[in-house]
Amino acid sequence: MMIRTLFRTGGSLLQQSRQTVPRLCVSPVQQRWASSLPMNTVVLFVPQQEAWVVERMGRFHRILEPGLNFLIPILDRIRYVQSLKEIVIDVPEQSAVSLDNVTLQIDGVLYLRILDPFKASYGVEDPEYAVTQLAQTTMRSELGKLTLDKVFRERESLNSNIVHSINQASDEWGIRCLRYEIKDIHVPPRVKESMQMQVEAERKKRATVLESEGMRESAINVAEGQKQAQILASEGEKAEQINQAAGEAQAVLAKAEAKAKAIRLLSDALAEQNGNAAASLSVAEQYVLAFSKLAKESNTVLLPSNAGDISSMVTQAMAVYGTLAKATPKIPPAEVEESEDVLNQPESK
């Protein structure tokens, strides 16, 4: 009976308190929290990844864990319900000025999580709104430190700096900023046109540089090829001259050896019986043949004083052959046969 009386008294007091409290004194944030707050039914089941902040007689009492919980009616009141899941907040578009005085329109997405439900409930009036405003102001301050070109190149470092700045300020709120991502960056139309022209100029520059490097490489390759060709041609000419000189030297040596062997054979033949008569006949025949060819190849002819005396010419030739026969030593028959073979071979040109 006493418990029933207590419940009835508490219910009537609760209804009277709701009727007597004017709605003008309640802020929009409190209305949002009050509209989603569960009622105290003594036996409560708290869902997973949620934290219910309970006040007893207007003062913080405890935080309900997920699962089965019991509360005292009238005295205990569920004041805040905090979600422990990762929260995604869309940061609205805002304007910021870069270091080189370029106005940008930028927006982003903020990912955060409530780590301490007590601080998130009593440390700040509206945690989501506070973090959103902090992200916007931090974004403006960070963009003011960078030029326009660095904003596009250092996007990841910009995001990490914003997260670090937000975590430093939101530590007292029990909120942890996990990451911040920039969605879109809008630049003025004139700046966009100038950036496009800069990109085209850079591409033309690269194309020109690549073309010049290609021409240089081509010229170098052609020069190297000509150099190698000249070197090979000179080496071939050198080898040809060396071979030609060696061949000419061998030919001269072979002719000299053949002539020396012929002279030795002739001296041996003159030393035999009737050799002088045969030599005289041969010299006379050659003299007559040479005298018959005079004045056929040129108009100027030089004749000895005794051109008509054939016997004296033969005598002089025989005297020369006799002197050579005495000065030339005899050679073995084997060498004579070799010299005959050399004489029978055709003379190389």
Side-chain angles (χ1 to χ4, degrees):
M1 295 295 293
M2 294 179 62
I3 296 176
R4 287 182 180 178
T5 305
L6 183 60
F7 282 165
R8 290 175 181 176
T9 306
S12 60
L13 291 174
L14 181 61
Q15 291 178 358
Q16 291 177 2
S17 63
R18 289 183 177 177
Q19 293 176 359
T20 55
V21 176
R23 294 186 178 181
L24 296 176
C25 297
V26 181
S27 63
V29 178
Q30 291 177 350
Q31 289 181 0
R32 182 171 65 86
W33 286 112
S35 62
S36 60
L37 293 178
M39 295 180 61
N40 184 359
T41 58
V42 182
V43 179
L44 300 174
F45 295 95
V46 180
Q48 187 67 32
Q49 292 293 349
E50 285 190 5
W52 292 6
V53 181
V54 178
E55 292 181 354
R56 177 167 291 180
M57 294 182 294
R59 186 177 180 181
F60 172 75
H61 175 57
R62 67 189 180 99
I63 298 175
L64 300 182
E65 299 292 336
L68 179 60
N69 294 272
F70 297 94
L71 294 179
I72 300 175
I74 302 174
L75 300 180
D76 294 338
R77 178 188 176 188
I78 302 173
R79 187 68 177 84
Y80 299 100
V81 175
Q82 302 290 353
S83 176
L84 303 181
K85 300 178 182 179
E86 186 173 346
I87 304 172
V88 181
I89 301 176
D90 190 7
V91 180
E93 187 177 358
Q94 59 179 334
S95 62
V97 181
S98 62
L99 185 61
D100 48 356
N101 296 326
V102 178
T103 303
L104 303 175
Q105 298 292 330
I106 188 168
D107 57 356
V109 180
L110 184 64
Y111 300 86
L112 54 89
R113 176 177 291 171
I114 296 176
L115 301 180
D116 191 346
F118 177 79
K119 291 183 179 180
S121 301
Y122 299 99
V124 63
E125 185 69 23
D126 189 350
E128 296 181 5
Y129 178 76
V131 172
T132 304
Q133 295 299 317
L134 181 60
Q136 289 181 342
T137 55
T138 307
M139 171 62 72
R140 293 192 188 97
S141 62
E142 291 295 331
L143 285 177
K145 300 176 184 178
L146 301 175
T147 59
L148 181 60
D149 295 334
K150 290 186 178 181
V151 169
F152 293 99
R153 290 199 302 264
E154 301 180 3
R155 202 162 178 170
E156 294 183 359
S157 62
L158 181 61
N159 293 336
S160 62
N161 293 335
I162 294 173
V163 171
H164 180 69
S165 301
I166 293 175
N167 287 330
Q168 285 183 344
S170 63
D171 188 29
E172 298 295 330
W173 303 340
I175 299 174
R176 181 71 178 178
C177 180
L178 302 179
R179 56 192 177 275
Y180 181 88
E181 298 293 338
I182 298 175
K183 290 198 301 184
D184 295 322
I185 300 177
H186 302 282
V187 297
R190 292 185 179 179
V191 177
K192 190 174 182 179
E193 292 177 359
S194 62
M195 292 174 62
Q196 187 68 25
M197 294 174 61
Q198 182 179 0
V199 171
E200 293 178 358
E202 186 68 23
R203 290 179 180 176
K204 291 181 180 179
K205 176 184 176 182
R206 291 180 182 177
T208 305
V209 171
L210 291 176
E211 184 178 0
S212 62
E213 290 180 355
M215 295 176 63
R216 185 185 67 178
E217 293 293 334
S218 176
I220 291 174
N221 293 334
V222 172
E224 288 290 337
Q226 293 179 355
K227 177 182 176 182
Q228 294 294 331
Q230 291 179 359
I231 291 174
L232 294 176
S234 62
E235 290 179 354
E237 186 177 357
K238 176 182 176 182
E240 182 181 0
Q241 291 178 359
I242 291 174
N243 294 333
Q244 184 177 2
E248 291 179 355
Q250 291 179 0
V252 171
L253 182 60
K255 289 181 180 180
E257 291 177 354
K259 187 174 290 186
K261 290 181 181 180
I263 292 174
R264 290 192 187 98
L265 292 175
L266 184 60
S267 63
D268 292 340
L270 292 176
E272 295 179 358
Q273 186 177 4
N274 297 325
N276 292 330
S280 299
L281 178 60
S282 178
V283 170
E285 290 177 354
Q286 293 179 3
Y287 180 80
V288 172
L289 182 61
F291 191 79
S292 64
K293 292 180 180 180
L294 291 176
K296 288 184 178 181
E297 297 179 358
S298 62
N299 296 327
T300 303
V301 179
L302 297 177
L303 297 175
S305 59
N306 54 354
D309 192 359
I310 298 176
S311 60
S312 61
M313 295 294 296
V314 171
T315 302
Q316 292 179 2
M318 291 302 297
V320 173
Y321 278 117
T323 304
L324 292 175
K326 293 179 181 180
T328 304
K330 294 183 178 180
I331 57 177
E335 294 184 1
V336 173
E337 293 178 358
E338 292 179 359
S339 62
E340 290 178 354
D341 295 337
V342 172
L343 291 175
N344 292 329
Q345 294 179 356
E347 185 177 343
S348 60
K349 295 182 181 181

